[in-house]
Amino acid sequence: EVQLVESGGGLVQPGGSLRLSCAASGFTFSSYWMHWVRQAPGKGPVWVSRIDRDGSSTDYADSVKGRFTISRNNAKNTLYLQMNSLRAEDTAVYYCARESQSGDYKYDALDIWGQGTTVTVSS
Amino acid sequence: QSALTQPPSVSGSPGQSVTISCTGTSSDVGSYHRVSWYQQPPGTAPKLMIYDVSSRPSGVPDRFSGSKSGNTASLTISGLQAEDEADYYCSSYTSTNTLVFGGGTQLTVL
């Protein structure tokens, strides 16, 4: 079964750090671009970051650029999001998601999502 | 990057058709074929329903269809069923090599 399982969320004070993990199974993890998307309570999803197949190329939303770092370990089939200098507005459910592709052609659409992990930034 | 604009809510009776619009700009929806639609029932993760404006992933019923004209994309659900009740979000690739989502539309099946 194709599956993504996030972990690492929790309560953190403003200015603090947290590292999220996303364990992939059921597919060849190293063949796919991967994303992080967050969703605040009662709001729509917001794209956070993207990483290419071997981790050499990354992109970020302006709201997290310079504070968050996406990375991956293909040997461990795991995606990460290091979050530093956290703010109250970073409070959300964080999802990892797989980008849909056909061969080497990718669609900028997210076809597999994890169940999400909750990050709460509060004093 | 501002969120794409969707109507907050739409409704329809079983068997009817509903259309949800998604308005962006020439920097996203208007310039790229990379528009997707997601379905999200309460308490669950989003599910991909449409990609590349009008393509359906395997397993998605053909009652779901997508289209685009200019800066506005649309999702049409025909033969509405109770199980279609959920929040729907559009997404587009952008000129800054990022993705942007819409604010979401709550679909109510009357």
Side-chain angles (χ1 to χ4, degrees), chain A residues 44-45, chain B residues 4-9 20 87-90 101-106:
Chain B
L4 305 176
T5 300
Q6 299 180 233
S9 63
I20 301 171
D87 293 329
Y88 290 83
Y89 298 95
C90 60
F101 284 87
T105 299
Q106 183 178 53

Side-chain angles (χ1 to χ4, degrees), chain B residues 15-18 62-65 76-81 84:
Chain B
Q16 289 186 332
S17 294
V18 295
D62 59 7
R63 302 185 294 104
F64 292 83
S65 62
T76 298
I77 308 171
S78 58
L80 207 56
Q81 298 181 4
D84 299 332

Side-chain angles (χ1 to χ4, degrees), chain A residues 39 45 50 106 108-110, chain B residues 34 36 38 40 45 89 97 101:
Chain A
Q39 188 170 23
R50 168 208 293 122
K106 62 184 195 70
D108 291 296
L110 307 178
Chain B
R34 305 289 184 89
S36 305
Y38 300 87
Q40 187 178 34
Y89 298 95
N97 199 28
F101 284 87

